[in-house]
Amino acid sequence: MPEDTSGVAGGDQCAATPGDRFDDEDYPAYSMGGAAELLGVTPAFLRALGAARLIEPQRSAGGHRRYSRYQLRLAARARELVDQGTALEAACRIIVLEDQLAEALRINAALQQSQAQRPNAAR
């Protein structure tokens, strides 16, 4: 089983209040059926996204897949690309690369801002 980095799996769920979980983008609040219904996809599509390693749902105590709002957004992006004719594996790779680029741009902007704020910064 993959290591959980969201801080909500296992016994940690009791540490957060329901209000905290309501706003938590990573809280696995949606069952597979609920997630599929919200997205207008089949459970098989969600399983395929897991097999392609785009999203890795957490598991309930009973072993059922549970999805977060963040994962549902990724699945919705994948569905849009697939609906446009992109192969599922390619759609997943595109999403990963887009997210990596966005993170790199965010880091670059933060570094440029910190350099600009330094007095007499060496350039």
Side-chain angles (χ1 to χ4, degrees):
M1 179 179 254
E3 180 180 330
D4 177 73
T5 58
S6 66
V8 296
D12 292 343
Q13 288 183 358
C14 295
T17 65
D20 293 339
R21 288 182 274 179
F22 186 72
D23 293 331
D24 186 353
E25 291 287 307
D26 295 317
Y27 181 73
Y30 301 92
S31 66
M32 176 176 277
E37 185 177 331
L38 280 172
L39 296 170
V41 300
T42 64
F45 181 80
L46 292 173
R47 285 191 295 273
L49 294 179
R53 303 185 58 83
L54 178 64
I55 56 177
E56 195 164 331
Q58 293 187 31
R59 297 286 181 149
S60 69
H64 299 281
R65 290 174 178 88
R66 304 291 297 180
Y67 297 91
S68 68
R69 285 188 290 171
Y70 174 73
Q71 290 172 324
L72 294 185
R73 279 198 304 277
L74 291 177
R77 287 169 62 191
R79 180 181 179 202
E80 288 174 12
L81 289 169
V82 169
D83 286 349
Q84 294 170 6
T86 306
L88 181 72
E89 292 283 335
C92 293
R93 185 68 180 142
I94 289 167
I95 292 167
V96 168
L97 290 171
E98 286 175 343
D99 286 354
Q100 288 174 345
L101 175 59
E103 178 66 7
L105 291 172
R106 186 196 61 75
I107 291 168
N108 190 28
L111 289 172
Q112 287 178 350
Q113 183 178 7
S114 69
Q115 279 186 335
Q117 291 175 350
R118 272 192 256 150
N120 299 320
R123 296 182 192 250

